[in-house]
Amino acid sequence: MGLVVPFRRANLPAVLIDDSPATRRATEAAGAPVHRIAIPLLYTLMGFVLLRSACMIPLTNPGTDFTPIWTAANKYWAGEPVFNSDYTIDMPHYLYSPAGTVLISPVALFPTESMARAVMAYLGAASIIGAIALASWMVSRRWFHIAFPLTVSFFFITPEPVQWTLALTNINGFMLLLEVLFVWLSLRLREKGVGWKGHFNRPEAWAAGIVAGIAVSIKPQFGVLFIVSLAFAQVAVVAVAALVSIVTFAIGWFTIAEPELFFTNLVPYLSEPRPRFNGSIGGLAIVHGWSDATVMALTVLTLVGTLAAVVTLWRWKEVDPVMFSFTAIAVCFAGGFMVSGLMQNYYAIWFIPFVLTVCRPRSPMHWPVTVLALLFMVANPIWPATGNAMLDEMVTHMPGFMFIALPLIVAAWGAVQIFKDRSESEAVVESEAAGRHALA
């Protein structure tokens, strides 16, 4: 049966998210003539876009992000130190932990770097497509919904974030798939209704924990996924993820040559913002020469905006858990990247599930300002130079400002929804009181 979730709080009207099969069939029937024409065209367009962006564009770049991965993986299997790079040199560096090294090391099993890089690029493209397919089903409860070819075509045709992810050949596409799988498994666990102790006996909890553990081992920033675990009291998922992270880190520590270099050489480098390819508040401060007071003000604004966004979204975890999960993760990613030492434009790839919440009955994606902010993130690299140095510099770093803006926009949307629901509830109460008075 489809899911019909009622929501009621004191002084608030019920909000109904109807995902029942009957409702979906009625909606589909209403738009059937348009769909019969549009869907084949959209899938044809998607095919051409994928041919160019997923198959041809990766060949136009030497794989700048992949070379450090390939080098580190080969050093790992050869028993050579992995974290002995000179981080004072301005070049792509290997930035993964011992746990991440263990998980990434199988790329060295390929005979040549070019072969390994091609496999990683094409599997990365497949992971992105798979993640969009699953997320499209989650928001629409229908496989190959019209949102699927539209989303694939849009994100593969814009330079950021997918094209650069594939051209540079990093692991962000795989991480997107882990993000969507985690939310899907967590929501399946929520539907079982067995209580937090019963979660330890559910395969969904173990699978979600393993997925999260792998994600956090590779990129610790993916700890933001646990906002979903917190919302649904899924202690088992966090416990399993912690166990996976500890085990993989231990394996890496005892199998990597000179593992202490991770803490003495790499961690100090990661603890300081770098000016090159860094849109975080710290990185922008170096480029623009901002004062400490400006950095502190923007950091506090970002943190407060992110917290406010999560708080105003919180009531939606029972109303629309899909929208809540994808949106909460997106705002936590945005805020976390900006206050950390590193934010790169292609991190916006992890906002794709949030974009798909436009298919939900209510979502911050229904606000034009949200769409505009996301467009500024992905369209930035193709804007032509204006000749005005200050304006060009601002345009170059526009995605960073949009990462700051996103939590603020979502917080504003959540506050507006609370105000609207209270106003509607009061109107209903007044109407009922007037009816009773008339009858009396």
Side-chain angles (χ1 to χ4, degrees):
M1 294 180 62
L3 178 64
V4 181
V5 184
F7 171 67
R8 187 181 294 276
R9 294 182 63 179
N11 300 322
L12 289 180
V15 177
L16 200 63
I17 304 299
D18 189 349
D19 278 333
S20 64
T23 301
R24 293 200 301 272
R25 284 194 295 269
T27 304
E28 292 164 10
V34 175
H35 282 193
R36 278 197 296 268
I37 299 173
I39 289 181
L41 292 176
L42 287 173
Y43 274 94
T44 302
L45 172 64
M46 185 182 79
F48 281 108
V49 170
L50 289 177
L51 178 64
R52 175 181 178 271
S53 299
C55 298
M56 298 173 64
I57 284 183
L59 303 177
T60 64
N61 186 282
T64 309
D65 285 357
F66 180 74
T67 299
I69 294 175
W70 171 258
T71 302
N74 279 277
K75 285 183 175 182
Y76 172 75
W77 288 111
E80 300 174 6
V82 173
F83 304 112
N84 62 343
S85 298
D86 181 1
Y87 292 102
T88 63
I89 299 174
D90 190 18
M91 60 176 290
H93 294 295
Y94 183 75
L95 305 178
Y96 298 100
S97 70
T101 301
V102 170
L103 295 169
I104 295 172
S105 64
V107 300
L109 299 178
F110 291 95
T112 64
E113 179 179 354
S114 59
M115 180 184 294
R117 189 236 165 175
V119 171
M120 187 166 176
Y122 295 136
L123 286 181
S127 296
I128 296 169
I129 296 168
I132 293 174
L134 180 56
S136 297
W137 177 84
M138 292 173 67
V139 299
S140 65
R141 287 294 188 255
R142 178 184 172 187
W143 288 111
F144 307 116
H145 183 272
I146 193 172
F148 172 63
L150 279 173
T151 306
V152 170
S153 298
F154 175 78
F155 280 100
F156 273 81
I157 207 170
T158 55
E160 292 284 12
V162 171
Q163 283 189 12
W164 274 111
T165 290
L166 299 178
L168 298 175
T169 317
N170 54 49
I171 63 170
N172 293 345
F174 300 96
M175 303 304 294
L176 174 63
L177 181 58
L178 292 178
E179 175 191 351
V180 176
L181 282 173
F182 173 80
V183 174
W184 176 66
L185 289 164
S186 297
L187 297 187
R188 282 178 61 88
L189 178 62
R190 170 187 171 273
E191 293 170 0
K192 302 304 176 182
V194 295
W196 71 270
K197 292 183 180 179
H199 290 168
F200 285 93
N201 299 320
R202 296 298 312 176
E204 295 90 350
W206 286 86
I210 291 171
V211 168
I214 292 172
V216 171
S217 295
I218 297 174
K219 285 187 176 290
Q221 302 95 319
F222 270 66
V224 302
L225 295 179
F226 296 126
I227 189 69
V228 177
S229 304
L230 175 64
F232 303 124
Q234 295 176 348
V235 178
V237 173
V238 180
V240 173
L243 179 62
V244 170
S245 299
I246 292 170
V247 170
T248 53
F249 189 92
I251 293 172
W253 185 265
F254 290 109
T255 57
I256 290 177
E258 300 183 38
E260 66 278 0
L261 290 175
F262 171 69
F263 289 107
T264 60
N265 198 29
L266 178 55
V267 171
Y269 172 76
L270 294 175
S271 64
E272 296 291 334
R274 71 189 193 200
R276 178 176 177 271
F277 299 129
N278 184 8
S280 70
I281 292 173
L284 293 176
I286 295 173
V287 173
H288 296 288
W290 291 343
S291 66
D292 291 343
T294 301
V295 172
M296 179 60 68
L298 286 174
T299 300
V300 171
L301 175 66
T302 303
L303 290 173
V304 170
T306 302
L307 179 60
V310 172
V311 169
T312 58
L313 283 170
W314 202 254
R315 70 194 190 110
W316 291 92
K317 68 188 179 73
E318 300 300 335
V319 183
D320 191 343
V322 174
M323 185 278 287
F324 165 81
S325 299
F326 285 148
T327 305
I329 289 173
V331 297
C332 288
F333 266 139
F337 287 135
M338 290 309 297
V339 301
S340 69
L342 181 63
M343 192 290 288
Q344 295 182 297
N345 294 354
Y346 51 47
Y347 288 171
I349 193 172
W350 300 316
F351 296 164
I352 293 177
F354 165 58
V355 172
L356 280 162
T357 65
V358 72
C359 298
R360 304 305 293 169
R362 293 169 76 174
S363 164
M365 281 302 303
H366 294 181
W367 269 20
V369 67
T370 312
V371 177
L372 187 62
L374 291 166
L375 286 175
F376 276 126
M377 291 182 193
V378 302
N380 162 267
I382 62 175
W383 289 1
T386 64
N388 184 310
M390 184 176 71
L391 180 59
D392 288 343
E393 191 72 20
M394 294 298 291
V395 169
T396 299
H397 296 115
M398 185 64 69
F401 296 111
M402 294 303 101
F403 270 66
I404 296 175
L406 184 61
L408 300 174
I409 293 170
V410 172
W413 177 86
V416 169
Q417 302 311 304
I418 293 173
F419 177 78
K420 286 173 60 178
D421 287 345
R422 286 180 176 172
S423 299
E424 292 171 4
S425 179
E426 291 170 0
V428 170
V429 171
E430 290 175 2
S431 177
E432 291 175 350
R436 288 194 297 270
H437 180 73
L439 290 173

